[in-house]
């Protein structure tokens, strides 16, 4: 259009801007950051007993709460973890901020002492 304006003079013209050349990794990073900002992705650190079935119990509970589990990190070697305990970092998808608060409250009621953490801190 800039090189040959005479071809378009008097016509209706629309331009499509699609960003098709954006690096997919950058696009994914931007999208995930927005989901975190709007609290549609949230992370919790739970204090759990280190015994068989506890991870399954938590996964089942999160499923009952309609939270989709994205990542799980199970830590036994933290200095503040009792000998028969563990810390569990879990990152979930939520519907919105209120849903994240509902999940937090349910985990608190279940005795897991959840702490909200920044998703970037969940990396081992």
């Amino acid at each position: 259009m800039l090189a040959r304006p005479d071809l378009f003079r008097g016509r209706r013209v629309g331009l499509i801007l699609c960003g098709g050349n954006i690096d997919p990794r950058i696009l994914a990073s931007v999208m995930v950051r927005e989901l975190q900002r709007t609290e549609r992705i949230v992370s919790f650190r739970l204090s759990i007993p280190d015994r068989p079935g506890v991870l399954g119990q938590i996964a089942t509970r999160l499923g009952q709460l309609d939270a989709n589990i994205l990542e799980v990190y199970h830590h036994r070697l933290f200095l503040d973890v009792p000998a028969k305990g563990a810390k569990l970092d879990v990152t979930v998808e939520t519907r919105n901020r209120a849903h994240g608060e509902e999940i937090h409250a349910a985990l608190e009621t279940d005795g897991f002492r959840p702490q909200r953490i920044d998703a970037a801190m969940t990396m081992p």
Side-chain angles (χ1 to χ4, degrees):
M1 285 182 53
L2 294 175
R4 302 277 316 269
D6 54 305
L7 293 176
F8 303 99
R9 190 169 287 114
R11 296 181 171 189
R12 288 183 170 216
V13 178
L15 295 177
I16 298 173
L17 301 174
C18 67
N21 60 345
I22 189 170
D23 183 311
R25 292 174 297 170
I26 291 174
L27 180 59
S29 177
V30 169
M31 292 172 63
V32 168
R33 288 170 190 244
E34 178 63 12
L35 291 171
Q36 290 171 339
R37 189 187 67 75
T38 59
E39 296 187 39
R40 295 197 45 216
I41 292 179
V42 295
S43 296
F44 300 101
R45 176 164 289 156
L46 310 176
S47 296
I48 64 171
D50 190 12
R51 66 174 193 264
V54 174
L55 291 176
Q57 176 187 352
I58 293 168
T60 298
R61 184 67 166 127
L62 291 170
Q64 292 167 344
L65 294 164
D66 292 326
N68 185 37
I69 299 171
L70 298 175
E71 292 182 330
V72 175
Y73 294 102
H74 188 251
H75 307 277
R76 289 186 174 106
L77 303 177
F78 283 0
L79 293 176
D80 64 339
V81 175
K84 293 189 176 192
K87 296 284 185 182
L88 183 74
D89 293 352
V90 60
T91 301
V92 298
E93 285 181 306
T94 67
R95 291 186 298 274
N96 51 37
R97 175 175 286 147
H99 187 214
E101 291 170 1
E102 174 189 342
I103 293 164
H104 186 276
L107 293 170
E108 183 75 41
T109 299
D110 292 346
F112 294 115
R113 299 189 336 246
Q115 297 175 309
R116 287 286 298 270
I117 57 174
D118 178 3
M121 293 173 54
T122 64
M123 297 303 292

